[in-house]
Amino acid sequence: MHNDVAKVLLTKEEISARIQSLGAEITRDYAGKNIVVVVLLKGAAWFATDLTRAIDLPLRVDFMVASSYGNGTSTSGKVQVKLECSENLEGKDVLLVDDIIDSGVTFAAISDLLKQSKPASLKTVALCDKAERRINGLDADYVGFKIPDEFVVGFGLDYAGDYRNLPYIGVLKPKIYTKA
Ligand code: IMP
Ligand code: MG
């Protein structure tokens, strides 16, 4: 375990098994549809590469860069889009993927933006969900794991850009972000 991690919350085996079952669920729900998976970089890249390979349907993938965090551990409340989708989403069934839903601000803002492209449907999927932290009542349509209100890293999740490559999801020692 990494020295800056207080405890492992989800092992790589648990994450992998859950992604397989999410993929199977999405495969059933979207049978016969035209999915475009929109991945929020950078954090959701790790989750999305596994999730898309667990979906047994023809699909397309696109990426967006959005951020609301700066280098802190809670949202700035403003979502900044740095790279927009290049796929045509009109009439498509769009699945928006993020690593974690926390305040809900990111999913709310990006969903509003994507709806301007007139998709046939728009659903959201997050690997982790810190439901206690929600400020807008929004829920993701698919959630991998409900987790407690602790700052986590690994499997794509970062603190100030670090720790994304940890193969598990762990709670970051608070001394790491309180000293900053
Ligand atoms: P929201 O807009 O507050 O729902 O936050 C979503 C974004 O916040 C995610 O894309 C993550 O980048 C970031 N985030 C929220 N909680 C955590 C955490 O515990 N660890 C790392 N990133 C987090
Ligand atoms: Mg993120």
Side-chain angles (χ1 to χ4, degrees), residues 16 19 21-22 32 68 106 109 117 125 132-133 160 179:
S16 164
I19 295 176
S21 62
L22 273 179
S68 69
T106 303
S117 303
V125 48
E132 289 166 54
R133 304 245 309 168
K179 76 178 177 200

Side-chain angles (χ1 to χ4, degrees), residues 96-141:
L96 178 61
V97 185
D98 206 356
D99 47 10
I100 190 167
I101 174 170
D102 183 35
S103 69
V105 166
T106 303
F107 269 160
I110 304 299
S111 298
D112 282 350
L113 187 73
L114 295 182
K115 280 177 193 157
Q116 294 172 13
S117 303
K118 305 197 185 333
S121 71
L122 174 63
K123 283 192 180 181
T124 52
V125 48
L127 180 59
C128 296
D129 178 2
K130 288 201 268 194
E132 289 166 54
R133 304 245 309 168
R134 209 80 82 248
I135 59 172
N136 59 7
L138 192 114
D139 274 324
D141 295 291

